[in-house]
Amino acid sequence: MPDENDTEEDASVKLLRENRPNIIDALMHDPSKAFDEAIARGLLSREDYKELEGERSDPGKIRKCLDIVDGKGKEFAKIFLKILHDLRGSYPRLGPWIKDAPRREPTSVHEAERILQVLSDKDLLFFLKMEKSSLSEEVWDEFPSLCDAVRKAQLLPKCDLKDFDEVKRSKLKTLLNLIMEEGAKSSRPFCQILLHDQLMKVPMLKMMESLERDTTKNKLRIWGKAQDDLKEELLKNFRTIKDYNALPGECTRLDDRFVEPIIVKRKPGIEAESPDPEMMKPCREYNLKKINEDRVPMEDLFEQNESSVQHVTKVVMFGSPGIGKSTLCKKLVVDWAEEAEKMKNKFDFVILLKCRNLNHISTETTLKKILLNEYPSLQEVVDYLMENASRVLLVLDALDEMKYPLDFDNVCKSPQEANKIGSIIAGLLQGTLLRHGTLLVTTRLVGLQWLYHVDCDPKSTCTVEIVGFSHEKTKEFFEKFYRNEDKAKQVLQHVSGNEVLSSLCFNPVFCWITATCIGRYFDSHEGSTRDPLPKTMTELFSLYLHLHLEHHGGKSITSSPDSLLRLCRLAFHGVKERKILFSEEDLKSEGITNIPPAFLSEVFLKTEVESVCHYEFFHLTVQEFFAALYFLLPECEKSVDEVFVKTTDKDDTRFKVVQQFLSGLFADKPRRTLGKHFKLSTKPKDKIHSWLEEHKHKDLNCFHCVFELQGVEFTKAMMEDVEFEDLTENMTSPLDCTVVVYALQTANKPMDSWNVKLGPMDRIQRMKILAPAFPLCESLRFDGQFIGDEGLEILMKSLVSKPNRLKVFGLVGCKLSTNSGPILRDLKSIINLEELNLSWNPIGDEGLEELMEGLKSQTKLRILELSYCKLSTESGPVLRDLKNFINLEELVLRGNPIGDEGLEGLMEGLKPQTKLRNLWLMRCDLSTKSGPILRDLKNILNLKDLDLSWNPIGDEGLQGLMEGLKSQTKLRILRLSFCTLSTKSVPILMDLKNNMNLEVLDVGGNDRRLDRFLRHSPNDAK
């Protein structure tokens, strides 16, 4: 019985042979079309075609072609039949037999592989997307074995064996999604695996056969065109960005300016947002606190989580204004549109919707209308995409700018359903719209409240924060901005040395403003020493305004006295009403008829029927600067009371930055800079000074204002009665530290006591900033602040660099190591030191030796605490140097296992100590042999408090101790708990109790009977 292959070969070859005369006759007038198609489909090779060309006549060429096809067997015979079938319109003389020819033979595996081979990468992925549902049903029975085949073929290089085990337990579409994301390089071999699988062969052949149908080809054409047109739209809209330094009409390529910000993972959930505006946020080091372990590269935002092969379908990205959220969204869509390697296979369609463009949709609409209004290129495919959103990315940028509330009580569930915009966006967030699609949402933290209403699967949801630029990213930004490595290096060096500017530059927008303003100082024609570089925020923004007035078309705003006033009034009303977008009506109401393009940029918000033009300042902080400037223009009739006096609500932070700018605009440098263009009033000065005086005890923002003001005399007067401890407790960032230190330094205000609190992060950064204030302190404590050896070095350099008042120095638990020794030598420069506490720092014997060198000249030292410093028996020779401290009153060595050898050196050092009153040696590993050494205590005549607890000196050691204490007339406290004393010690203890004026005698933790004996003695010591 002939097998299936024999039957197929007989049918196809026989059909060609039977109809050979008709084929020659039909093709005779123009065989080139058939030949070209045969070459395109791989039927004829170059050598075959040369043979055809060797024939002189067209009939001869046709006969030769049929002979070649006949000789190649049934697969090629079938291909040629298909060619004739497809070209039958061009060859009307072909007989009616050709209409049914392809149907009489099913597609073979070889033919399917050929179709697969010639199919373009894009069409292959589109085809798999169309057939994914039907394919999933067919593949289910073979799923486990297919997973194994995929793994062996290494089609998913990122997945290990554990991942494949999870895939087998997961939905089949997970596997197909993973395969498609790898692109054609994995999708094509996967189809071949299916073609050669016994159970999958028949359904796969049917699928591949459908690729030859005109309807399928038309679908792929439509999909391909829609994708190409969408890419063109995206590139037109987002490939270039507006550079506010450029001349009108000039644009900058996004790729020439874009620097990827630091993105870090965050746990899903909502945290309370600090009410402070972005300028008050902690600086770069705070924002980049966990980049090493939590950083997410841009291209990995949509990767499967480590604990799951399930793809991320929702990315929530938040960050402060100007931090780079919108720019990153643009970069993502441009990368996809330009088919950048990291994005081209992830999605078939990428759609970016700016939420503020949706604010003017006041009537009910549908998701379909919204998409087509923004992207008309989706007309032919939008219905399919909305119902089959797999491999579609929708970006909702700036959700916090949505004007309408999200309506989760009336969530839209159908893309064809007309509803309010708040319900439609809620449907996208909830997942009732664009099911199986991927959603990227960007927002400020304040806009994350919608998460309360949405169930976010942790396996498929990725929550990240954009925290801005690292030092390296700032460097990259300056290099791209200037396109001059040397200039970028100079600017970076200046910025890094100025905490205010450095704190600004973690934010890309402020990085741009800084680069714009400071670069000119390093241009050869400008000179770098003509004028001091900006160091305050007001100086920077005043220079920013000056440059725009001078060079970028801003002069029109100063051409008439009212023009600047109106612009500043618009800015102030916007800050007051928390408004950043202004309509033409808003501008008209302020009397602005000629739009100043140097300061206001156009934003087109699309409605269902038209695009409405709005305007915005370059950034909120620029708007806040103009709002402050409003009150200093001579024509302004408003009082600053609205900014200062009336803002009594501590949670109302609208005017914090405006307050800083208002103060800074009374500094000399900003007034000189702006005075070149217009006059500034001095009217509000007294009110601002009064407010600062009144609120300095309770509002740290006063010190930000004082820093901007840069007024030496006013700062000195203001600092006279400031309670420093209360002030420093409110410092939450290095920038806070900077402004407080400025005030202290300027006023040269001595401080009695400062318990420094550095917070959990940025300790070294804060140490550097606070360092100039350390020499002003009489008592300085860093207890529990993990400054380490690096922080200690900063601290000591500060103290020795100028005369200091330091008497009390606390460094308890600061994580100092044995390497801190050379730094501790510098203590010799602190000539007034009376108290030093280094407890709970493992400085060891090496550190102790260096410490003693540093303390040799300290004649005023009264208290030395070295508890738990990992001193050993080898510390004895060093402890002999205690003899130099002639005024020592208290020595604490608790928790150091110095043993009897160390005790011997200690006693040598204490012999001349006539003023020592307190000696605490708890847990020092003293043994029964310590008795003879303890006799030397007789030399310390003023001893009042002795603690030997937790030392197993036993009865024998106690005997020696008794000898040393006989002459101690002033001893009031003696602690001997847990010293392994037995009842043999009762006579000695009774003698101590009866013959000395002890107020406390602690023998707990020894033989229980000791308490009973002592309790019945005439004198009741504890």
Side-chain angles (χ1 to χ4, degrees):
M1 182 177 178
D3 62 19
E4 182 186 352
N5 289 338
D6 290 337
T7 305
E8 286 187 16
E9 183 172 2
D10 289 345
S12 56
V13 174
K14 184 178 179 182
L15 197 61
L16 281 177
R17 290 174 180 170
E18 287 175 349
N19 294 282
R20 184 180 178 101
N22 178 239
I23 295 171
I24 296 170
D25 180 60
L27 272 59
M28 191 180 300
H29 73 283
D30 183 15
S32 60
K33 288 183 181 180
F35 294 162
D36 290 343
E37 191 66 25
I39 293 170
R41 299 196 189 188
L43 178 61
L44 296 178
S45 65
R46 289 185 179 181
E47 290 73 16
D48 295 332
Y49 189 71
K50 285 180 181 179
E51 287 190 44
L52 297 187
E53 288 297 301
E55 297 292 331
R56 295 182 179 180
S57 64
D58 285 343
K61 292 176 181 178
I62 298 169
R63 291 188 185 93
K64 190 64 174 178
C65 177
L66 291 173
D67 291 341
I68 292 172
V69 170
D70 189 86
K72 290 188 175 185
K74 63 110 180 182
E75 293 292 347
F76 288 84
K78 187 176 185 306
I79 294 171
F80 194 67
L81 282 172
K82 185 67 174 66
I83 290 171
L84 295 177
H85 176 269
D86 293 343
L87 295 176
R88 63 187 185 279
S90 300
Y91 298 115
R93 296 175 67 177
L94 282 171
W97 60 272
I98 193 62
K99 292 182 180 180
D100 299 324
R103 298 180 190 173
R104 301 213 307 248
E105 296 184 71
T107 303
S108 65
V109 172
H110 182 80
E111 171 67 4
E113 287 181 332
R114 184 202 62 77
I115 296 171
L116 192 61
Q117 198 63 37
V118 299
L119 196 64
S120 71
D121 292 349
K122 183 165 64 175
D123 284 349
L124 173 62
L125 294 175
F126 281 151
F127 180 67
L128 286 177
K129 178 184 175 74
M130 287 191 296
E131 298 291 340
K132 188 162 65 171
S133 296
S134 59
L135 190 60
S136 297
E137 296 175 6
E138 298 286 356
V139 169
W140 183 249
D141 291 336
E142 280 291 279
F143 189 37
S145 63
L146 285 175
C147 284
D148 292 335
V150 168
R151 179 175 58 82
K152 289 176 184 177
Q154 297 183 335
L155 300 186
L156 298 177
K158 295 178 184 177
C159 295
D160 56 25
L161 185 59
K162 179 185 70 174
D163 295 327
F164 278 103
D165 289 340
E166 185 179 343
V167 170
K168 290 178 185 178
R169 295 190 298 271
S170 180
K171 296 179 180 177
L172 176 64
K173 289 182 180 179
T174 300
L175 176 64
L176 297 177
N177 285 335
L178 290 170
I179 290 287
M180 291 172 70
E181 186 165 315
E182 290 296 322
K185 65 180 180 181
S186 291
S187 299
R188 220 177 287 276
F190 179 65
C191 290
Q192 290 175 337
I193 288 173
L194 297 179
L195 281 170
H196 290 279
D197 183 88
Q198 287 301 314
L199 293 177
M200 284 303 303
K201 177 180 175 181
V202 174
M204 271 301 292
L205 288 175
K206 288 181 181 178
M207 281 176 52
M208 299 308 293
E209 187 174 321
S210 72
L211 274 169
E212 297 292 276
R213 298 188 191 123
D214 292 338
T215 53
T216 304
K217 288 180 179 179
N218 191 47
K219 273 186 181 179
L220 294 178
R221 183 191 61 77
I222 291 172
W223 275 67
K225 185 177 186 306
Q227 189 189 68
D228 290 341
D229 290 348
L230 175 62
K231 288 179 178 179
E232 189 176 330
E233 278 187 286
L234 292 172
L235 291 176
K236 179 182 177 182
N237 292 335
F238 304 120
R239 177 183 267 165
T240 59
I241 56 174
K242 175 72 179 294
D243 189 333
Y244 288 78
N245 289 331
L247 296 173
E250 287 185 346
C251 290
T252 301
R253 279 180 57 88
L254 177 64
D255 285 342
D256 292 340
R257 189 61 60 82
F258 178 78
V259 174
E260 182 179 338
I262 302 297
I263 308 169
V264 296
K265 286 183 182 178
R266 292 292 297 266
K267 293 180 181 178
I270 305 172
E271 298 177 8
E273 184 187 26
S274 165
D276 291 342
E278 66 272 17
M279 285 297 298
M280 300 294 291
K281 297 288 184 188
C283 76
R284 180 203 315 276
E285 286 72 17
Y286 174 85
N287 283 275
L288 307 182
K289 55 189 178 288
K290 296 182 71 178
I291 62 172
N292 290 333
E293 60 266 33
D294 291 341
R295 186 172 172 181
V296 183
M298 190 173 75
E299 61 266 25
D300 290 346
L301 283 173
F302 309 100
E303 292 291 328
Q304 60 263 29
N305 290 319
E306 293 178 3
S307 59
S308 171
V309 295
Q310 185 173 343
H311 266 67
V312 171
T313 57
K314 189 175 293 175
V315 178
V316 181
M317 178 187 294
F318 65 91
S320 60
I323 206 71
K325 303 183 295 296
S326 294
T327 304
L328 186 137
C329 290
K330 291 177 184 178
K331 177 62 174 171
L332 281 172
V333 300
V334 168
D335 280 350
W336 176 79
E338 291 182 337
E339 299 188 8
E341 190 63 35
K342 55 191 175 186
M343 280 293 291
K344 71 176 182 179
N345 292 324
K346 290 185 184 294
F347 304 103
D348 295 326
F349 289 88
V350 175
I351 303 166
L352 172 59
L353 294 179
K354 290 180 172 291
C355 289
R356 67 180 176 186
N357 289 4
L358 308 178
N359 284 339
H360 288 266
I361 302 178
S362 56
T363 58
E364 289 190 349
T365 186
T366 66
L367 177 60
K368 178 178 179 179
K369 287 182 180 179
I370 292 172
L371 295 178
L372 291 180
N373 186 54
E374 295 289 329
Y375 300 101
S377 58
L378 298 176
Q379 180 71 51
E380 296 291 329
V381 296
V382 66
D383 291 327
Y384 183 87
L385 291 180
M386 290 189 298
E387 297 298 333
N388 303 275
S390 173
R391 291 178 58 78
V392 173
L393 169 63
L394 176 65
V395 181
L396 281 177
D397 185 32
L399 186 65
D400 54 286
E401 294 179 10
M402 275 286 296
K403 175 180 177 181
Y404 300 105
L406 300 173
D407 188 357
F408 286 97
D409 294 326
N410 183 31
V411 173
C412 184
K413 297 179 180 179
S414 168
Q416 310 289 351
E417 175 188 342
N419 218 319
K420 292 180 180 178
I421 188 68
S423 298
I424 293 173
I425 300 300
L428 290 169
L429 299 174
Q430 189 74 271
T432 58
L433 295 176
L434 293 187
R435 293 180 188 274
H436 310 302
T438 302
L439 182 68
L440 167 61
V441 184
T442 74
T443 177
R444 290 179 64 184
L445 187 55
V446 73
L448 277 177
Q449 302 304 315
W450 59 271
L451 280 174
Y452 284 126
H453 304 277
V454 177
D455 294 328
C456 293
D457 181 356
K459 287 186 176 181
S460 59
T461 302
C462 177
T463 305
V464 296
E465 178 181 7
I466 297 186
V467 294
F469 286 164
S470 63
H471 183 79
E472 292 73 21
K473 294 291 184 179
T474 302
K475 179 175 181 287
E476 183 183 347
F477 178 87
F478 286 148
E479 287 174 349
K480 281 195 167 187
F481 186 89
Y482 296 121
R483 299 180 184 177
N484 182 319
E485 190 173 339
D486 291 336
K487 186 175 180 179
K489 187 176 180 181
Q490 286 178 303
V491 173
L492 184 65
Q493 188 174 358
H494 172 70
V495 168
S496 300
N498 182 304
E499 182 57 34
V500 173
L501 300 184
S502 181
S503 296
L504 292 176
C505 283
F506 82 87
N507 186 303
V509 162
F510 300 132
C511 200
W512 177 87
I513 292 176
T514 303
T516 299
C517 295
I518 293 182
R520 61 188 288 272
Y521 285 85
F522 298 97
D523 290 335
S524 57
H525 65 279
E526 291 277 357
S528 59
T529 59
R530 180 178 298 177
D531 197 24
L533 276 77
K535 62 179 180 179
T536 71
M537 191 169 65
T538 312
E539 290 176 4
L540 183 70
F541 278 80
S542 296
L543 182 57
Y544 166 77
L545 176 55
H546 162 71
L547 291 176
H548 276 272
L549 292 174
E550 192 76 20
H551 302 293
H552 299 292
K555 285 189 176 180
S556 61
I557 202 67
T558 58
S559 58
S560 67
D562 291 340
S563 296
L564 182 59
L565 178 72
R566 291 165 181 167
L567 180 67
C568 293
R569 188 168 56 208
L570 177 75
F572 169 68
H573 287 156
V575 173
K576 181 181 176 180
E577 298 166 14
R578 302 182 188 275
K579 193 173 187 179
I580 61 172
L581 286 178
F582 304 95
S583 67
E584 291 186 348
E585 289 298 320
D586 294 328
L587 270 64
K588 285 180 182 178
S589 68
E590 297 294 347
I592 300 174
T593 53
N594 295 321
I595 311 301
F599 305 111
L600 290 177
S601 61
E602 293 179 341
V603 178
F604 287 93
L605 303 183
K606 293 184 178 180
T607 68
E608 294 177 18
V609 294
E610 62 179 341
S611 292
V612 180
C613 183
H614 281 63
Y615 300 89
E616 66 175 350
F617 289 89
F618 173 54
H619 190 268
L620 172 61
T621 313
V622 176
Q623 181 179 334
E624 289 167 326
F625 178 74
F626 277 104
L629 190 59
Y630 171 55
F631 292 94
L632 271 72
L633 297 177
E635 301 83 8
C636 177
E637 298 177 355
K638 279 258 184 189
S639 169
V640 292
D641 288 356
E642 195 156 3
V643 175
F644 286 95
V645 179
K646 293 182 181 179
T647 55
T648 55
D649 184 359
K650 66 178 182 179
D651 294 326
D652 184 359
T653 60
R654 287 173 296 168
F655 296 119
K656 274 199 170 184
V657 177
V658 178
Q659 290 169 355
Q660 294 173 35
F661 279 133
L662 261 170
S663 303
L665 285 169
F666 283 99
D668 291 339
K669 189 173 178 180
R671 293 182 78 86
R672 281 199 311 271
T673 302
L674 298 177
K676 299 172 185 177
H677 305 282
F678 46 82
K679 291 181 180 180
L680 292 175
S681 168
T682 58
K683 283 190 298 184
K685 185 174 182 178
D686 292 338
K687 282 191 176 182
I688 293 173
H689 282 193
S690 298
W691 183 86
L692 294 174
E693 281 282 2
E694 182 182 347
H695 290 79
K696 62 187 177 183
H697 299 291
K698 52 190 175 184
D699 191 344
L700 192 60
N701 196 46
C702 288
F703 290 88
H704 286 268
C705 294
V706 167
F707 179 79
E708 294 295 321
L709 182 60
Q710 294 285 301
V712 175
E713 295 305 319
F714 175 77
T715 305
K716 285 181 177 179
M718 177 177 155
M719 291 296 290
E720 284 182 2
D721 61 342
V722 170
E723 292 295 330
F724 186 71
E725 283 287 341
D726 295 339
L727 180 65
T728 56
E729 281 183 5
N730 295 323
M731 296 189 302
T732 59
S733 74
L735 193 54
D736 290 341
C737 299
T738 297
V739 299
V740 169
V741 168
Y742 164 78
L744 289 169
Q745 274 191 293
T746 304
N748 197 25
K749 177 181 171 62
M751 293 176 283
D752 293 332
S753 176
W754 187 7
N755 291 321
V756 181
K757 304 296 181 186
L758 296 173
M761 294 162 294
D762 321 319
R763 296 185 186 95
I764 298 303
Q765 176 71 8
R766 296 187 186 199
M767 286 288 291
K768 290 177 181 177
I769 299 168
L770 295 172
F774 296 150
L776 300 172
C777 300
E778 190 171 293
S779 172
L780 188 59
R781 296 184 183 276
F782 285 83
D783 299 346
Q785 308 302 304
F786 299 157
I787 63 174
D789 300 335
E790 185 181 357
L792 179 65
E793 186 172 8
I794 295 167
L795 175 57
M796 293 308 301
K797 281 183 178 179
S798 167
L799 292 173
V800 303
S801 64
K802 59 181 72 175
N804 61 77
R805 309 172 62 246
L806 192 62
K807 293 182 180 179
V808 178
F809 199 10
L811 293 167
V812 178
C814 288
K815 288 198 172 181
L816 310 183
S817 73
T818 55
N819 297 326
S820 65
I823 308 169
L824 292 171
R825 273 178 176 259
D826 289 336
L827 286 168
K828 62 188 176 187
S829 301
I830 306 176
I831 57 176
N832 296 308
L833 192 62
E834 295 181 7
E835 180 179 336
L836 176 63
N837 193 342
L838 284 168
S839 298
W840 293 94
N841 289 292
I843 62 173
D845 301 328
E846 299 172 38
L848 178 66
E849 187 172 358
E850 300 281 4
L851 173 65
M852 288 301 156
E853 281 295 318
L855 295 178
K856 268 184 180 179
S857 58
Q858 294 294 345
T859 57
K860 298 180 182 180
L861 190 68
R862 296 184 302 103
I863 299 173
L864 179 61
E865 296 191 42
L866 298 171
S867 298
Y868 297 94
C869 286
K870 287 200 172 180
L871 310 183
S872 73
T873 56
E874 297 180 7
S875 64
V878 184
L879 291 172
R880 285 188 170 92
D881 290 337
L882 288 168
K883 62 188 177 185
N884 298 314
F885 310 145
I886 58 176
N887 289 301
L888 195 64
E889 296 177 7
E890 181 174 311
L891 177 64
V892 183
L893 292 173
R894 286 178 296 194
N896 292 293
I898 61 174
D900 302 334
E901 298 173 38
L903 179 65
E904 190 170 358
L906 174 63
M907 288 298 113
E908 283 292 319
L910 295 180
K911 274 183 180 180
Q913 294 293 345
T914 58
K915 297 183 179 180
L916 189 68
R917 293 185 298 176
N918 301 328
L919 178 61
W920 296 346
L921 300 173
M922 184 179 74
R923 294 183 183 272
C924 285
D925 266 10
L926 309 184
S927 72
T928 56
K929 296 178 182 180
S930 64
I933 308 169
L934 291 171
R935 286 192 177 102
D936 289 337
L937 287 170
K938 63 187 177 184
N939 299 313
I940 309 174
L941 300 178
N942 290 301
L943 197 63
K944 288 185 177 180
D945 188 340
L946 176 62
D947 188 350
L948 290 170
S949 301
W950 293 89
N951 287 292
I953 61 175
D955 303 326
E956 187 179 343
L958 182 63
Q959 183 68 45
L961 173 64
M962 182 62 184
E963 291 295 321
L965 295 180
K966 276 183 178 180
S967 57
Q968 294 291 345
T969 59
K970 298 181 179 180
L971 191 67
R972 295 293 177 267
I973 300 172
L974 177 60
R975 301 188 186 277
L976 296 169
S977 58
F978 297 94
C979 286
T980 64
L981 305 181
S982 70
T983 53
K984 292 180 182 179
S985 297
V986 170
I988 302 172
L989 294 172
M990 293 294 288
D991 192 15
L992 283 170
K993 188 175 181 183
N994 295 330
N995 295 318
M996 302 185 75
N997 294 318
L998 290 177
E999 296 172 2
V1000 175
L1001 174 59
D1002 185 358
V1003 293
N1006 294 292
D1007 192 311
R1008 292 182 180 179
R1009 290 172 290 180
L1010 291 181
D1011 282 330
R1012 189 171 71 248
F1013 286 125
L1014 293 176
R1015 200 178 302 124
H1016 292 91
S1017 76
N1019 296 329
D1020 262 353
K1022 182 180 175 183

